[in-house]
Amino acid sequence: QRDMFQDIFAGRVSKERGAIELKEIDALFDGGKPKFDRIAIVACGTSLHAAMVGRYVIESLTKIPVAVDYASEFRYRDPILDSRTLIVPISQSGETADTLAAEKLAKERGCTVMAICNVLGSSITRAADTTIYTYAGPEIGVASTKAFTAQLVALVLFALDISRRTGSLGAEQIKSMVEEMLKLPRFVADVLEQSDHIKDIAEMIAGAENVLFIGRRHNFPVALEGALKLKEISYVHSEGFAAGELKHGPIALIDSGVPVVAIIPKDESYEKMLSNVEEVKARGAFTIAIASEGDEAINFTVNEVIRIPAASEFIIPILASIPLQLIAYFAADHKGTDVDQPRNLAKSVTVE
């Protein structure tokens, strides 16, 4: 994953000018004005979690409303669509049957379609009006890893370029974010240096009956993705929750020794997340924090800490996903399950 970012940035990110330019979305604008008033993203599985992060990022940076739907449910709620709706199907393979069906409906309703996809010439990209390719390279394992982080990067680039074109962000703000995006290879390398520590933690929780993942805002979908990865390849039952929802039911699952993985970077949700972690710790949970470098206070609250570089809120979900993928990998390896070909799953879901 550390090495793929250069391929994503090539021809799109200018280090010298500190600017983003996605020629792929030129057709979505008339001068500096977008041809759409709202965005609807459709996806399945891991791609849906990327879409959920994308909603936070796009709305925050561009002030354009975004809806996210399970592609498998999109058609069945008779969605309200028109020519001012931009539909964004996200798929690693570009062959996901439910996402293709959602895209077809959108085209029939007169929507413009911009795909985010990894595979050139795939069915979803052929039907789309334009495509942002993620250039993550072939993924051999069934469980998506680098495709997920590449999708997150593509969504941030998309939001930044809309902001540039509409003026919702100033040039200096965009330049600052571009400079941080270009640090991603180094940031990811810093996380990977903790692999031995993450392996030890994964082996501690590999035998658990249930593992919970919690986060807020941008990091709630990352908690969902962390839980999905663990259940996909290690077969450990795991669930992701919005941390603020714990007291509305899920906290009943907390018992002595239940592992809870909390994504708790130093951001504006930090104090609330800290309170949630203290709540589950008081009920006997074994707590693991994905925390920012330099946050020494967290050491006194949780059982184990995995560090990620301090970064902006839009970069954090990309970084936080890496240790969660490693937890799933090492837990599966420790249990002896097939990491690359988990049971009952296929790389490309081509039936509805």
Side-chain angles (χ1 to χ4, degrees):
Q1 295 194 59
R2 179 189 60 199
D3 300 327
M4 75 177 179
F5 295 113
Q6 297 306 322
D7 292 330
I8 302 173
F9 295 151
R12 295 166 168 171
V13 179
S14 170
K15 182 177 181 180
E16 292 73 22
R17 294 186 293 113
I20 304 283
E21 186 173 358
L22 297 176
K23 293 182 174 61
E24 298 95 324
I25 69 171
D26 286 350
L28 306 181
F29 287 79
D30 184 6
K33 294 183 179 180
K35 296 179 180 179
F36 52 91
D37 300 318
R38 62 194 184 99
I39 299 170
I41 311 178
V42 291
C44 300
T46 286
S47 295
L48 180 78
H49 298 154
M52 293 170 71
V53 176
R55 174 173 58 193
Y56 283 95
V57 175
I58 295 167
E59 288 190 338
S60 179
L61 296 182
T62 72
K63 311 309 178 188
I64 296 171
V66 179
V68 173
D69 272 275
Y70 289 95
S72 58
E73 293 291 325
F74 186 67
R75 289 177 297 160
Y76 303 113
R77 68 173 180 83
D78 192 20
I80 299 170
L81 304 171
D82 58 33
S83 61
R84 297 290 298 178
T85 306
L86 175 65
I87 300 294
V88 182
I90 304 179
S91 171
Q92 190 282 137
S93 67
E95 304 295 341
T96 309
D98 286 313
T99 309
L100 267 168
E103 180 183 40
K104 180 181 177 183
L105 174 65
K107 295 286 285 186
E108 290 171 354
R109 300 276 180 93
C111 302
T112 301
V113 176
M114 184 202 77
I116 295 177
C117 188
N118 191 37
V119 180
L120 277 69
S122 56
S123 298
I124 285 173
T125 65
R126 291 199 304 273
D129 296 293
T130 188
T131 299
I132 297 176
Y133 285 105
T134 52
Y135 299 128
E139 270 206 327
I140 307 304
V142 168
S144 182
T145 50
K146 64 181 180 179
F148 176 67
T149 48
Q151 288 167 354
L152 294 180
V153 171
L155 285 160
V156 174
L157 294 179
F158 175 57
L160 284 172
D161 201 21
I162 293 177
S163 302
R164 176 183 69 84
R165 293 168 188 256
T166 63
S168 62
L169 286 181
E172 286 305 312
Q173 289 174 289
I174 294 174
K175 183 178 181 181
S176 176
M177 291 192 67
V178 167
E179 289 172 350
E180 193 166 41
M181 293 282 284
L182 291 169
K183 294 177 184 176
L184 272 170
R186 177 165 59 82
F187 285 162
V188 171
D190 290 343
V191 176
L192 292 174
E193 286 180 0
Q194 300 172 78
S195 290
D196 290 343
H197 175 54
I198 296 170
K199 181 179 180 181
D200 291 341
I201 293 171
E203 292 178 355
M204 289 179 201
I205 68 174
E209 290 186 7
N210 300 287
V211 181
L212 307 186
F213 293 75
I214 58 174
R216 285 179 181 263
R217 301 172 67 242
H218 306 71
N219 297 311
F220 160 51
V222 179
L224 295 176
E225 176 62 11
L228 177 61
K229 282 292 155 284
L230 189 62
K231 71 180 73 166
E232 273 185 307
I233 63 173
S234 73
Y235 316 143
V236 173
H237 178 258
S238 49
E239 297 295 334
F241 298 103
E245 292 297 301
L246 279 173
K247 284 192 172 180
H248 295 277
I251 202 164
L253 297 171
I254 303 298
D255 198 0
S256 179
V258 171
V260 176
V261 181
I263 306 167
I264 181 170
K266 263 300 186 73
D267 59 17
E268 63 184 63
S269 299
Y270 179 78
E271 295 299 330
K272 292 186 182 298
M273 276 297 302
L274 195 61
S275 175
N276 295 136
V277 172
E278 289 169 344
E279 286 171 350
V280 297
K281 183 78 178 294
R283 289 161 175 80
F286 178 79
T287 50
I288 302 153
I290 311 296
S292 301
E293 288 178 354
D295 178 10
E296 299 304 324
I298 196 69
N299 296 335
F300 301 100
T301 303
V302 300
N303 298 100
E304 296 288 344
V305 181
I306 300 169
R307 300 288 180 183
I308 57 175
S312 75
E313 59 183 346
F314 305 114
I315 303 297
I316 289 296
I318 301 167
L319 300 177
S321 66
I322 305 294
L324 300 185
Q325 292 171 358
L326 287 172
I327 287 173
Y329 169 79
F330 287 126
D333 191 49
H334 182 69
K335 292 185 67 178
T337 59
D338 191 331
V339 174
D340 291 322
Q341 301 291 327
R343 66 191 182 199
N344 305 331
L345 296 176
K347 184 62 188 171
S348 182
V349 182
T350 55
V351 294
E352 295 182 46

